[in-house]
C-alpha cells in the first residue's frame, strides 16, 4: 500500500485538477518523528530547523492549482492584474529559520548517489533489496522498517552497520528520517518515492555547517511551477511552503502582531494565524479570487521578515542562478523589490532560458559559473528601504511598463467535450495508478520474497545450531548424570555410616535424657515448695503494708490539722503586724505634730520675754530671764523622748 495518501476536499462541482501533489502528510513519517527521543528530534532540528513543522500543516491543493495558472515561466514570477509576486530566498529562509545572512552561506550542490553509496551513507549492508534503488529512489516503508520502528534495531541487526550499539542506531535513525522527510515533504516525487540523492545531504550538513538548503528548495518550487504550467501531472516541489508563502501575503494582519510567542517558528504558528480568514474554497473560487487580486490587497512585507539586508542581484548578472535537486532555475528579485520594502523600478529584462535546464547525463551542471554568480551577490541595505512598508511603492513609469509586457502563456485548455475528456482523463489516471500499484506491488513482493528467503536461511541456520546444541546438551547431561550417580553412591555410604553412629549416639542421649528428666522433676517439686513459701510470705507482707498504710493515713490527717492551725496563726500574726504598723505610723505623725508645737511654744516664750522686757516689769522680767534659759532645754528633752518612743 502506498504510504502517501490523498485528501482532496475541493467542492464536487469544482474543476478537475491538472496535476497531482502532496496533499496529505504520511502517517508513518509523523509516527516516526513523534516516537523519536529528544536527542533524535534535536539532531533533526540541527539540520532542518523549522522545516520539521511542515508535518503539522494541512496541504491545500486548490491554492497551488490556481496559482500555477498565474505563473510566468519566462521570468519565474506570478503575474497578477497590476503587480508581480514571487517567493524570495529571504522569505522561504525566514519560514525555516535560515533567512538571515544567506549571502554568507554556501548553496547545497546536488550529487548523484549510486545504490552502493546510498547503502554506505545510511549504514546498511548491501543486500538484494530490489530494483527501485537502481532507478534512484526508495520507499518510505523501506527506511521506516529499519530505522523508524523500535523493533528495527533487532529485526535488521544483521543488515545494519551499527556495531550492535543501540545508541549508534538511534543516531543513524535521525539521519534516515532527515532523508525521508526531505524526500516526502520538501523534494517530493510521484507515489511517495524518495530520491537516493538526498542521502548525500546529511553528510554535507555534517561536513560544512554553512551549507544552506534554501536556494535548492526555491529552485525546485520554481521548476515545479514551470513544469506544471507546461502540462506536467505532478508538482515536484515543496507545495506546502508555497502555500504558506501565498496565504501570508494575502491574509489580513492586525495592526499590532506579537510574533514572539512563536519563538521564530512561523510555520508552526501559521494555522493559528489563518483562523478567521475568509479564504475561498476550491480551484474555481481561488482562480476568481486571484483574478481580482490587486496590489493594494497584498501584504507586501511580513511583519517578521528580515529585510534589512537582502540579495537582489549579482555583480555578473541582474539575477541569481539557483541549483535545485533536479535542475537549474534563475531567480530575479529585481522584479519584486516591493516584497523587500524597497521601491519597485522597471527591472532589466533578459532571456534566461540558458539557465533553465534539467539535470541530464548529457547536460553539464556548469557548477563553477553558478557558484561564481552566487559569490557575486549584491545586497540592498537598510538605507534603501521605504518609510511605509505596507504601501508597496513603485516608480512612476513602472505600471505603464508592466501593462505593456506580454501576458504569460496560458495553461493548455481542456477539450470542449468535457464529459468525454473527463472519462479519458480518469481512464489515464486509472492506468497510471495501476502501473504505480503494480510497481509498488512488485517491489513489495520482491522485498517480501527476500525477507522470506532470508528468514528461511536463518531458520535453517538456527535449526542446525539448535540440533548441535541439543547433542551437546545431551552429552553434557549424560556426563553429569554419571558423575552425579558416583557422587550419590559415595554419599549413600557416608549416610549409612553416619546413621549407625547417630543410632548409638541416640541411645546414649536417651539415657542421659531420662536421668535429666528425673532431676528436673525433683527440682520442679522443690520449686513448687519454694513458691508456696513465697506466697505465704507475700500475704504476710501485704498485711503489714496495709497496717503501715493506715498508720500513715492517720499521721497524714494529724499533719493536715497542724497545717490548718499554723495557717490560722499566720493570719493572726499578719493582722497583728498590720495593726502595729498602723499604730507606729500614728505615733510618728503625733511626734511630728508635737515637735511643731514645742518649736512654736519656744518662739512664743521668747516673744513674751521680749514684750515684758519692753514694758518695764522688773519682776516679770526677772522671772522670764530665770525661766527662759531652762525652757528650751526642757522642751528639747521632751521632744527627744517623744522621738525615741
Amino acid at each position: 500500500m502506498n504510504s502517501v495518501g490523498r485528501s482532496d476536499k475541493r467542492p464536487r462541482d469544482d474543476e478537475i485538477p491538472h496535476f497531482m501533489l502532496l496533499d496529505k502528510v504520511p502517517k508513518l513519517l509523523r509516527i516516526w518523528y513523534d516516537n523519536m527521543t529528544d536527542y533524535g528530534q534535536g539532531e533533526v532540528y540541527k539540520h532542518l530547523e523549522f522545516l520539521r513543522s511542515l508535518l503539522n500543516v494541512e496541504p491545500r491543493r486548490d491554492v497551488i492549482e490556481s496559482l500555477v495558472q498565474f505563473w510566468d515561466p519566462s521570468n519565474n514570477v506570478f503575474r497578477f492584474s497590476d503587480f508581480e509576486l514571487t517567493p524570495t530566498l529571504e522569505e522561504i529562509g525566514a519560514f525555516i529559520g535560515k533567512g538571515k545572512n544567506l549571502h554568507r552561506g554556501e548553496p547545497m550542490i546536488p550529487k548523484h548517489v549510486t545504490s552502493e553509496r546510498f547503502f554506505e551513507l545510511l549504514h546498511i549492508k548491501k543486500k538484494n533489496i530490489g530494483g527501485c534503488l537502481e532507478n534512484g529512489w526508495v520507499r518510505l516503508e523501506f527506511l521506516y522498517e529499519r530505522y523508524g520502528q523500535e523493533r528495527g534495531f533487532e529485526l535488521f541487526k544483521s543488515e545494519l552497520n551499527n556495531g550492535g550499539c543501540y545508541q549508534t542506531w538511534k543516531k543513524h535513525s535521525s539521519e534516515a528520517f532527515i532523508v525521508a522527510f526531505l524526500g516526502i515533504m520538501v523534494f517530493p516525487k510521484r507515489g511517495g518515492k524518495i530520491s537516493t540523492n538526498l542521502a548525500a545531504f546529511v553528510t554535507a550538513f555534517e561536513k560544512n555547517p554553512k551549507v544552506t538548503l534554501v536556494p535548492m528548495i526555491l529552485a525546485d518550487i520554481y521548476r515545479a511551477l514551470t513544469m506544471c504550467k507546461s502540462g506536467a501531472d505532478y508538482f515536484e516541489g515543496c507545495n506546502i511552503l508555497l502555500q504558506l508563502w501565498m496565504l501570508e501575503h494575502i491574509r489580513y494582519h492586525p495592526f499590532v502582531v506579537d510574533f514572539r510567542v512563536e519563538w521564530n517558528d512561523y510555520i508552526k504558528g501559521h494555522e493559528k494565524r489563518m483562523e478567521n480568514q475568509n479564504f475561498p474554497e476550491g480551484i474555481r473560487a481561488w482562480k476568481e479570487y486571484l483574478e481580482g487580486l490587486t496590489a493594494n490587497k497584498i501584504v507586501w512585507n511580513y511583519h517578521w521578515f528580515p529585510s534589512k539586508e537582502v540579495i537582489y542581484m549579482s555583480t555578473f548578472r541582474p539575477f541569481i542562478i539557483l541549483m535545485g535537486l533536479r535542475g537549474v532555475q534563475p531567480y530575479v528579485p529585481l522584479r519584486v523589490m516591493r516584497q523587500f520594502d524597497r521601491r519597485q523600478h522597471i527591472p532589466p529584462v533578459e532571456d534566461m532560458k540558458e539557465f533553465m535546464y534539467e539535470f541530464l547525463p548529457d547536460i553539464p551542471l556548469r557548477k563553477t559559473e553558478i557558484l561564481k554568480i552566487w559569490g557575486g551577490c549584491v545586497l540592498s541595505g537598510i538605507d534603501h528601504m521605504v518609510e511605509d512598508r505596507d504601501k508597496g511603492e513603485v516608480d512612476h513609469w513602472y505600471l505603464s511598463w508592466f501593462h505593456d509586457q506580454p501576458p504569460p502563456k496560458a495553461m493548455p485548455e481542456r477539450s470542449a467535450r468535457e464529459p468525454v475528456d473527463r472519462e479519458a482523463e480518469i481512464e489515464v489516471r486509472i492506468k497510471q495508478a495501476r502501473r504505480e500499484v503494480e510497481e509498488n506491488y512488485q517491489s513489495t513482493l520482491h522485498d517480501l520474497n527476500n525477507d522470506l528467503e532470508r528468514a528461511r536461511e536463518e531458520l535453517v541456520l538456527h535449526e542446525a545450531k539448535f540440533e548441535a546444541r541439543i547433542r551437546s546438551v545431551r552429552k553434557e547431561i549424560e556426563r553429569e548424570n554419571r558423575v552425579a550417580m558416583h557422587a550419590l553412591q559415595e554419599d549413600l555410604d557416608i549416610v549409612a555410616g553416619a546413621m549407625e553412629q547417630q543410632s548409638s549416639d541416640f541411645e546414649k542421649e536417651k539415657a542421659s535424657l531420662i536421668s535429666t528428666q528425673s532431676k528436673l522433676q525433683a527440682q520442679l517439686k522443690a520449686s513448687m515448695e519454694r513458691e508456696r513459701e513465697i506466697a505465704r510470705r507475700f500475704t504476710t507482707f501485704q498485711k503489714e503494708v496495709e497496717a503501715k498504710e493506715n498508720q500513715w493515713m492517720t499521721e497524714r490527717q494529724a499533719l493536715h490539722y497542724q497545717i490548718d492551725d499554723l495557717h490560722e496563726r499566720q493570719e493572726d500574726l499578719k493582722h497583728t503586724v498590720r495593726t502595729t504598723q498602723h499604730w507606729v505610723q500614728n505615733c510618728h505623725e503625733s511626734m511630728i505634730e508635737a515637735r511643731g508645737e514645742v518649736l512654736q511654744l519656744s518662739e512664743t516664750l521668747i516673744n513674751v520675754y521680749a514684750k515684758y522686757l519692753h514694758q518695764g516689769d522688773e519682776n516679770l522680767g526677772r522671772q522670764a530671764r530665770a525661766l527662759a534659759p531652762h525652757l528650751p532645754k526642757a522642751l528639747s528633752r521632751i521632744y527627744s523622748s517623744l522621738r525615741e518612743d
Side-chain angles (χ1 to χ4, degrees):
M1 181 179 179
N2 195 349
S3 63
V4 181
R6 292 192 290 271
S7 176
D8 192 358
K9 297 182 179 180
R10 56 195 175 85
R12 292 173 179 257
D13 59 344
D14 200 13
E15 294 183 8
I16 296 178
H18 288 72
F19 53 84
M20 301 174 66
L21 47 70
L22 175 71
D23 55 5
K24 188 175 183 180
V25 179
K27 291 183 179 179
L28 280 185
L29 194 64
R30 196 191 303 272
I31 292 172
W32 187 349
Y33 181 77
D34 291 340
N35 291 339
M36 294 177 74
T37 61
D38 292 341
Y39 168 79
Q41 292 185 0
E43 287 293 304
V44 173
Y45 174 77
K46 183 170 67 175
H47 299 312
L48 300 182
E49 294 201 23
F50 301 126
L51 268 176
R52 60 181 183 172
S53 296
L54 293 177
L55 292 170
N56 302 315
V57 180
E58 182 180 357
R60 295 196 56 168
R61 175 196 297 273
D62 51 358
V63 176
I64 306 302
E65 177 83 25
S66 57
L67 273 176
V68 169
Q69 303 181 51
F70 296 89
W71 181 247
D72 181 0
S74 300
N75 300 295
N76 281 352
V77 294
F78 291 104
R79 184 176 174 86
F80 297 102
S81 60
D82 60 349
F83 67 95
E84 292 179 334
L85 208 65
T86 195
T88 65
L89 288 173
E90 285 77 12
E91 288 173 334
I92 299 299
F95 271 116
I96 65 178
K98 298 280 190 180
K100 295 182 179 180
N101 301 320
L102 280 171
H103 61 286
R104 298 177 183 174
E106 298 179 11
M108 179 71 75
I109 299 175
K111 294 182 179 179
H112 176 66
V113 176
T114 62
S115 59
E116 291 81 4
R117 180 59 177 163
F118 177 81
F119 285 127
E120 180 183 349
L121 292 172
L122 289 186
H123 316 284
I124 301 174
K125 298 176 183 177
K126 189 172 188 317
K127 298 280 185 179
N128 187 17
I129 301 298
C132 59
L133 285 171
E134 301 300 331
N135 296 326
W137 59 271
V138 68
R139 293 180 296 110
L140 173 61
E141 290 84 356
F142 175 83
L143 297 177
Y144 179 80
E145 289 169 356
R146 288 155 178 79
Y147 287 115
Q149 59 178 341
E150 192 69 25
R151 298 185 304 158
F153 176 70
E154 291 294 337
L155 293 177
F156 298 92
K157 181 180 293 186
S158 61
E159 187 178 314
L160 303 178
N161 288 321
N162 50 41
C165 178
Y166 181 73
Q167 295 302 323
T168 303
W169 178 81
K170 280 289 186 183
K171 184 178 187 303
H172 296 168
S173 174
S174 63
E175 295 174 356
F177 176 83
I178 292 173
V179 174
F181 179 89
L182 291 175
I184 296 294
M185 305 297 296
V186 184
F187 305 103
K189 290 174 66 73
R190 174 189 288 274
K193 300 174 183 178
I194 300 170
S195 172
T196 56
N197 294 341
L198 297 171
F201 287 12
V202 178
T203 304
F205 287 138
E206 294 288 349
K207 289 183 178 180
N208 188 1
K210 291 184 178 181
V211 168
T212 175
L213 270 178
V214 176
M216 181 172 285
I217 294 173
L218 186 57
D220 267 38
I221 291 176
Y222 284 170
R223 173 187 174 275
L225 288 165
T226 299
M227 297 292 290
C228 289
K229 184 66 179 285
S230 301
D233 59 357
Y234 194 83
F235 191 91
E236 293 184 333
C238 189
N239 56 285
I240 300 181
L241 268 180
L242 180 61
Q243 167 188 319
L244 300 184
W245 168 82
M246 188 61 195
L247 294 181
E248 291 286 355
H249 269 297
I250 61 176
R251 85 176 187 91
Y252 170 74
H253 286 267
F255 183 72
V256 177
V257 183
D258 185 7
F259 289 98
R260 293 174 297 175
V261 296
E262 297 169 349
W263 293 95
N264 297 325
D265 188 352
Y266 302 113
I267 297 177
K268 184 178 181 180
H270 172 77
E271 294 290 341
K272 185 173 182 60
R273 293 196 299 275
M274 292 300 107
E275 292 178 355
N276 302 321
Q277 299 291 323
N278 189 21
F279 288 139
E281 293 289 341
I283 300 172
R284 182 178 290 110
W286 266 104
K287 184 177 179 182
E288 293 174 357
Y289 174 81
L290 295 177
E291 285 174 348
L293 191 63
T294 55
N296 60 350
K297 299 178 183 178
I298 292 295
V299 178
W300 286 107
N301 187 266
Y302 302 153
H303 290 261
W304 39 268
F305 176 68
S307 57
K308 293 182 179 179
E309 284 188 346
V310 295
I311 300 172
Y312 74 100
M313 62 177 295
S314 172
T315 54
F316 305 100
R317 298 274 184 172
F319 50 85
I320 308 294
I321 307 301
L322 306 179
M323 288 182 289
L325 181 66
R326 306 174 179 92
V328 172
Q329 291 289 324
Y331 167 57
V332 197
L334 281 173
R335 298 185 74 100
V336 291
M337 294 301 288
R338 282 182 282 186
Q339 293 176 229
F340 302 133
D341 293 336
R342 274 71 174 175
R343 180 183 293 274
Q344 180 65 59
H345 299 280
I346 297 176
V349 178
E350 290 194 13
D351 187 1
M352 300 181 291
K353 289 182 179 179
E354 63 171 314
F355 296 106
M356 298 179 180
Y357 58 87
E358 299 286 294
F359 291 144
L360 298 173
D362 56 340
I363 300 179
L365 177 59
R366 299 166 63 182
K367 178 176 66 176
T368 304
E369 182 181 4
I370 294 173
L371 292 178
K372 177 183 176 182
I373 294 175
W374 175 268
C377 288
V378 180
L379 302 180
S380 174
I382 193 172
D383 52 330
H384 295 148
M385 295 175 63
V386 297
E387 294 184 3
D388 190 351
R389 298 176 59 182
D390 298 326
K391 185 177 180 181
E393 298 184 11
V394 297
D395 186 68
H396 178 70
W397 301 104
Y398 173 77
L399 291 178
S400 299
W401 170 87
F402 175 84
H403 291 295
D404 290 339
Q405 299 300 306
K409 183 180 178 181
M411 294 184 67
E413 292 293 335
R414 295 185 179 272
S415 171
R417 299 165 58 197
E418 185 174 355
V420 177
D421 287 349
R422 284 194 177 185
E423 292 179 2
E425 182 177 2
I426 292 172
E427 185 176 353
V428 170
R429 290 184 181 274
I430 290 175
K431 291 180 180 179
Q432 291 176 348
R434 284 177 177 172
R435 284 197 299 270
E436 292 177 5
V437 170
E438 182 66 22
E439 291 177 0
N440 290 332
Y441 170 75
Q442 292 297 333
S443 177
T444 304
L445 183 62
H446 192 278
D447 291 345
L448 291 175
N449 288 332
N450 289 335
D451 293 341
L452 181 60
E453 188 65 29
R454 182 169 61 250
R456 286 175 178 171
E457 293 175 357
E458 292 179 355
L459 180 61
V460 172
L461 180 62
H462 286 315
E463 287 178 350
K465 290 181 179 179
F466 183 67
E467 291 293 335
R469 180 61 178 166
I470 289 176
R471 290 193 295 270
S472 175
V473 169
R474 283 177 177 172
K475 292 180 180 179
E476 184 68 22
I477 291 174
E478 291 175 357
R479 185 185 65 80
E480 290 179 353
N481 286 340
R482 289 194 297 270
V483 173
M485 289 295 293
H486 181 70
L488 286 173
Q489 187 62 42
E490 292 180 351
D491 292 342
L492 183 61
D493 295 339
I494 294 171
V495 168
M499 288 181 64
E500 292 178 0
Q501 181 65 34
Q502 288 179 359
S503 178
S504 175
D505 293 341
F506 175 74
E507 292 298 331
K508 293 179 181 179
E509 289 290 336
K510 183 178 180 181
S512 175
L513 286 172
I514 292 172
S515 175
T516 303
Q517 184 178 7
S518 299
K519 292 179 181 179
L520 288 174
Q521 288 177 350
Q523 291 177 359
L524 179 61
K525 185 176 181 180
S527 296
M528 292 175 66
E529 290 294 334
R530 285 197 298 272
E531 184 178 354
R532 284 194 292 271
E533 179 65 21
I534 289 171
R536 185 183 60 78
R537 290 182 180 180
F538 177 76
T539 303
T540 305
F541 176 74
Q542 189 174 12
K543 292 179 180 179
E544 292 177 355
V545 168
E546 289 178 355
K548 288 287 186 180
E549 185 177 358
N550 293 333
Q551 182 182 354
W552 290 342
M553 292 295 293
T554 304
E555 292 176 354
R556 180 181 177 186
Q557 187 67 29
L559 286 174
H560 277 303
Y561 290 149
Q562 291 177 7
I563 290 171
D564 292 340
D565 186 48
L566 287 174
H567 279 315
E568 291 178 1
R569 293 176 61 186
Q570 183 180 8
E571 290 297 325
D572 293 341
L573 286 174
K574 287 181 179 179
H575 179 69
T576 304
V577 168
R578 284 195 297 271
T579 305
T580 304
Q581 288 177 348
H582 209 22
W583 178 79
V584 169
Q585 182 69 25
N586 292 337
C587 287
H588 182 64
E589 292 175 357
S590 299
M591 282 169 47
I592 294 174
E593 292 177 0
R595 179 183 177 189
E597 291 176 0
V598 168
L599 292 176
Q600 185 177 4
L601 181 60
S602 176
E603 290 176 358
T604 305
L605 181 60
I606 293 171
N607 290 334
V608 169
Y609 172 72
K611 181 177 179 183
Y612 284 127
L613 185 61
H614 178 70
Q615 292 178 356
D617 190 346
E618 188 62 28
N619 292 327
L620 186 59
R622 281 193 297 271
Q623 292 176 1
R625 282 193 298 272
L627 292 174
H630 300 286
L631 184 59
K633 293 181 180 178
L635 295 174
S636 178
R637 283 196 300 272
I638 294 171
Y639 172 75
S640 299
S641 64
L642 289 173
R643 186 172 60 181
E644 292 174 357
D645 292 339

